[in-house]
Amino acid sequence: MVGPTRGGTTMTGTDWAGWQQSWDRQQEWYMPDREERFRVMLDMVEALVGPKPRVLDLACGTGSITSRLLRRFPDATSVGVDLDPALLAIAEGSFAGDERVTFVTADLKDPSWAASLPYGSYDAVLTATALHWLHSGPLTALYGQLAGLVRDGGVLMNADHMIDEATPRINAAERAQRHARMDREKAAGVLDWADWWALAAKDPVLAGPTARRFEIYGEHADGDTPSARWHADTLRAAGFAEARPVWASPSDTLLLAVK
């Protein structure tokens, strides 16, 4: 994805739009309903805080949420926070020159991470498929910090793997069916997580950030995937007035909390 293309390129010659699209396709292999969760997320942003929100895109990655946010709400502003140098490079390259967007490098497990943010309060904190990298203890602490960043009447939404351990047969059947589909698509040539990162490691611009990324994170998440009920209870205990799922697939949930 290196070379002269129209739009989304920089002086490095890197096709940031191409990397964004490639990341989306890789993620959709795991979550074919990914766009649907984003649509519902933005529906609820509009319903609860309106079409001009100040958003904290938490663990923003390449800026997938920010991209969809600004496409739907041109008057929104977004602050993207992440620690991954490779994904942040793609995000920063993709949104270069857009004054509505700011990116911050911060470790969400660092108690002082919020000190790096440009604003003290937000209409909405949005995150997707990221917080399962955290164990329940650090995630509980993070939810407490986020309760202090969301304004009264504002929202937090987390779309992620949320597993109900009380339904083991349902869980096993869903997982088997999902992996059978993924195996068929993989055989047809779809890039998985490892394949995508292997390509990034060969890119002249992303090779260095990718190496640093694996030094920080390792190969895979080692966090927890507690149930939607756990997330709702924890958010209410942190100071949110209401919390419940507003969308779910057989494996994932979009949990909405209102301050």
Side-chain angles (χ1 to χ4, degrees):
M1 297 179 191
V2 177
T5 63
R6 296 183 61 189
T9 58
T10 66
M11 293 299 290
T12 66
T14 299
D15 179 5
W16 296 120
W19 278 110
Q20 284 278 8
Q21 293 165 9
S22 177
W23 176 260
D24 284 343
R25 300 295 85 77
Q26 178 255 126
Q27 289 287 285
E28 287 165 1
W29 178 62
Y30 296 95
M31 299 166 289
D33 45 26
R34 184 169 178 255
E35 291 300 326
E36 178 69 6
R37 73 189 68 193
F38 288 147
R39 182 190 66 78
V40 175
M41 179 181 283
L42 296 181
D43 282 350
M44 300 311 296
V45 167
E46 185 172 22
L48 286 157
V49 301
K52 300 180 181 181
R54 176 189 290 169
V55 169
L56 179 60
D57 185 351
L58 195 71
C60 64
T62 66
S64 296
I65 290 175
T66 291
S67 174
R68 288 151 181 82
L69 173 79
L70 297 179
R71 193 181 309 150
R72 178 159 170 177
F73 306 126
D75 293 325
T77 57
S78 179
V79 176
V81 178
D82 210 303
L83 186 62
D84 188 313
L87 298 185
L88 276 175
I90 295 171
E92 290 167 348
S94 300
F95 294 94
D98 192 330
E99 296 182 352
R100 299 170 297 176
V101 184
T102 304
F103 290 105
V104 174
T105 300
D107 184 351
L108 297 179
K109 292 184 286 188
D110 181 344
S112 65
W113 72 271
S116 301
L117 298 178
Y119 307 108
S121 69
Y122 295 84
D123 300 308
V125 175
L126 308 178
T127 187
T129 326
L131 298 189
H132 65 274
W133 284 79
L134 300 179
H135 289 289
S136 297
L139 181 54
T140 299
L142 178 62
Y143 277 163
Q145 291 177 302
L146 295 173
L149 290 170
V150 175
R151 67 164 174 82
D152 288 346
V155 300
L156 181 152
M157 278 183 268
N158 178 16
D160 210 345
H161 313 311
M162 300 184 187
I163 307 301
D164 188 341
E165 298 298 340
T167 59
R169 288 187 295 171
I170 295 173
N171 299 348
E174 182 281 324
R175 187 178 188 278
Q177 192 274 342
R178 174 163 43 91
H179 280 266
R181 172 191 58 78
M182 291 167 66
D183 288 344
R184 291 193 299 271
E185 293 176 0
K186 172 72 171 171
V190 172
L191 291 179
D192 65 10
W193 174 267
D195 293 335
W196 191 91
W197 282 108
L199 283 179
K202 296 176 182 177
D203 182 89
V205 175
L206 291 177
T210 296
R212 293 195 298 275
R213 182 247 179 245
F214 280 94
E215 291 173 1
I216 294 168
Y217 290 108
E219 292 290 335
H220 298 289
D222 64 350
D224 301 325
T225 54
S227 69
R229 177 176 295 181
W230 180 92
H231 285 272
D233 289 345
T234 303
L235 285 162
R236 283 191 290 266
F240 287 88
E242 301 177 11
R244 72 167 176 86
V246 292
W247 175 91
S249 73
S251 62
D252 289 16
T253 298
L254 172 58
L255 201 293
L256 165 62
V258 181
K259 182 76 178 292

